[in-house]
Amino acid sequence: MVGMKSNEVETAEKLILVDKKETLTRITLNRPKALNAINLQMVNQMIKAMQIAQTDGTRIIIIDGAGERGLSGGGDIKEMAAENAKNAPKFISREYELDLMIATSKVPVIGIMSGITMGGGIGLSGHSHLRIVTETSRLAMPETKIGIMPDVGGNLLLSKSPGKLGEYLALTATNMDAADAIALGFADLFVPEAKIEQFIEELNATNLEETDFYQIANTYADEPGPSALLKEQKWIDPLLERAFKKLTEVTTENMSEPGARALAESAISSVQTLVNLTESSDKNEHVALAKTLREMSPTSLAVSIAQIARTRALGLGIKEVLEDDLRILTRLFNRPDFVEGVRALVIDKDQSPKWKPERIEQLDASEVARVLDPQQV
């Protein structure tokens, strides 16, 4: 393959591997050198594989990632940010179509969330029928680091997390291990890495018309141990409940109100109050949180907590949440923060993004409302 470009090599080696055996179809993301970053080509191939599996006698679909690093680090943000994010809306529209197809598949889907499973990786696995984590699992929704918000239906999962842990995860991009992921509702079972292949082999050898795949999975499952994040809830909940008081007072009517002015104002007030509370505190955990908040895109912080509140208050399902994601991310791609966040994080790697606005105190309610407006564009 001497002389071939990297994307040509990947195409030659197949970006997606589809292995059909008996009544089991295994779909494997195959860009291990790129942490299985998802691009449009991969999404299109996965949609085709999912469509075929609905009608070819498949009774279980497995989604996993090639290599030892994990299922997927998320969407290929370098590719998405190219040419001022010109093609990003097209990519996420197709990606969300795949996420919804997985969530609503008549053939049960099992997501193997080994290793790094973040952003778009959670979109492919976090809404599946059975979500398995291992001792290597590291899950996160890190979108506020790059000037957007948790998408791929992530707000549905975040809104159902205990207390205010969903908001905390969205604001801080905190990693979850296996125990955290189960405790916070992102995963169902812990299966040791060494048992994954044996589990898949047994699924393939079993008459799945007569045996429930949950029963098989449970025979391989172990206890993941205690969740560290769940223990942190004792200080996170009181702090965020105090800071987000105005946001919780927004009515369900306001959540769908054209213009989204009340939602934007309450979200901005809540983020600013949280920053004020943490920066005026001498508690170590508050000081650390304040520093993290200052590193994130201010617009992303306000939009993220507003959308979690909207998802929870209106009881939105996966289809509605993905529709919200498409509308809002398309607007965020038109702002400068996404391209700048990608530049700072993965291109120049200087870790010093220049957000617009730069500070949380400079957030403008009209601008945030334009992003949040529930009216279609």
Side-chain angles (χ1 to χ4, degrees):
M1 296 184 184
V2 176
M4 295 178 73
K5 296 178 181 178
S6 61
N7 61 339
E8 292 173 340
V9 172
E10 288 174 342
T11 301
E13 293 179 348
K14 296 185 180 180
L15 297 174
I16 297 293
L17 304 176
V18 182
D19 185 17
K20 170 72 161 61
K21 291 180 180 177
E22 304 300 332
T23 58
L24 186 147
T25 293
R26 184 172 185 174
I27 303 173
T28 303
L29 282 68
N30 191 38
R31 290 184 76 191
K33 292 180 180 177
L35 230 175
N36 294 320
I38 307 161
N39 60 25
L40 183 59
Q41 210 174 344
M42 296 165 76
V43 168
N44 287 334
Q45 290 175 18
M46 288 190 75
I47 287 175
K48 183 177 180 180
M50 286 290 299
Q51 289 171 334
I52 291 171
Q54 304 300 307
T55 58
D56 68 353
T58 296
R59 293 195 173 276
I60 289 288
I61 299 168
I62 301 283
I63 293 178
D64 66 354
E68 298 179 353
R69 298 174 67 194
L71 171 62
S72 174
D76 189 331
I77 56 175
K78 277 189 182 180
E79 187 172 303
M80 291 168 64
E83 298 183 69
N84 208 29
K86 180 181 73 172
N87 296 315
K90 178 182 178 182
F91 167 73
I92 62 167
S93 177
R94 194 68 167 153
E95 180 188 23
Y96 299 168
E97 183 181 337
L98 173 59
D99 295 337
L100 183 61
M101 184 179 292
I102 290 168
T104 60
S105 173
K106 68 178 183 180
V107 178
V109 179
I110 300 176
I112 309 295
M113 306 167 90
S114 295
I116 296 174
T117 303
M118 298 182 180
I122 288 178
L124 297 180
S125 56
H127 310 296
S128 57
H129 300 72
L130 178 62
R131 304 161 302 172
I132 291 176
V133 284
T134 76
E135 68 274 16
T136 68
S137 294
R138 293 294 178 270
L139 280 66
M141 300 299 295
E143 288 80 4
T144 52
K145 285 184 174 181
I146 54 170
I148 51 176
M149 71 159 194
D151 65 320
V152 296
N155 282 323
L156 183 61
L157 302 174
L158 293 167
S159 70
K160 294 181 178 180
S161 293
K164 293 295 182 184
L165 290 178
E167 283 90 341
Y168 180 79
L169 288 178
L171 292 171
T172 63
T174 296
N175 284 1
M176 293 177 277
D177 62 15
D180 295 328
I182 292 173
L184 273 66
F186 278 72
D188 303 304
L189 289 179
F190 171 78
V191 176
E193 197 81 28
K195 295 183 179 180
I196 293 292
E197 289 302 325
Q198 186 181 349
F199 164 58
I200 294 174
E201 287 175 14
E202 184 167 341
L203 281 176
N204 187 57
T206 301
N207 184 340
L208 293 170
E209 291 184 85
E210 300 176 0
T211 305
D212 185 78
F213 66 92
Y214 284 104
Q215 293 178 333
I216 298 173
N218 273 299
T219 64
Y220 289 89
D222 285 343
E223 288 297 320
S227 162
L229 268 173
L230 212 55
K231 291 181 180 178
E232 298 297 302
Q233 191 178 359
K234 64 181 181 292
W235 70 263
I236 292 172
D237 276 6
L239 175 65
L240 268 60
E241 284 168 4
R242 182 181 173 191
F244 294 173
K245 189 173 185 297
K246 283 193 176 180
L247 189 57
T248 58
E249 291 172 351
V250 177
T251 66
T252 53
E253 290 78 12
N254 288 145
M255 292 290 183
S256 297
E257 181 182 22
R261 183 74 187 198
L263 182 57
E265 289 177 347
S266 61
I268 291 171
S269 174
S270 296
V271 171
Q272 291 176 344
T273 300
L274 180 59
V275 169
N276 291 337
L277 289 172
T278 52
E279 289 189 335
S280 62
S281 171
D282 58 2
K283 294 181 180 179
N284 290 339
E285 60 268 25
H286 291 184
V287 172
L289 176 55
K291 181 177 183 298
T292 298
L293 293 173
R294 288 296 188 187
E295 294 169 352
M296 306 301 183
S297 159
T299 301
S300 294
L301 296 178
V303 170
S304 295
I305 64 166
Q307 279 306 111
I308 294 173
R310 173 178 158 82
T311 299
R312 185 185 291 124
L314 298 182
L316 301 181
I318 183 63
K319 183 175 184 293
E320 293 78 19
V321 172
L322 287 169
E323 287 170 353
D324 270 2
D325 288 350
L326 181 59
R327 181 178 64 253
I328 290 176
L329 255 74
T330 298
R331 294 167 181 167
L332 288 173
F333 289 144
N334 288 327
R335 300 188 72 261
D337 279 5
F338 173 64
V339 172
E340 172 62 11
V342 173
R343 179 207 64 76
L345 186 70
V346 299
I347 297 176
D348 296 340
K349 299 181 180 178
D350 58 26
Q351 311 301 316
S352 299
K354 302 294 185 286
W355 304 123
K356 293 183 180 179
E358 184 178 354
R359 292 179 61 79
I360 291 163
E361 291 81 0
Q362 298 167 335
L363 282 167
D364 178 74
S366 297
E367 176 66 18
V368 173
R370 277 193 288 270
V371 176
L372 292 172
D373 190 347
Q375 298 297 300
Q376 294 293 337
V377 292

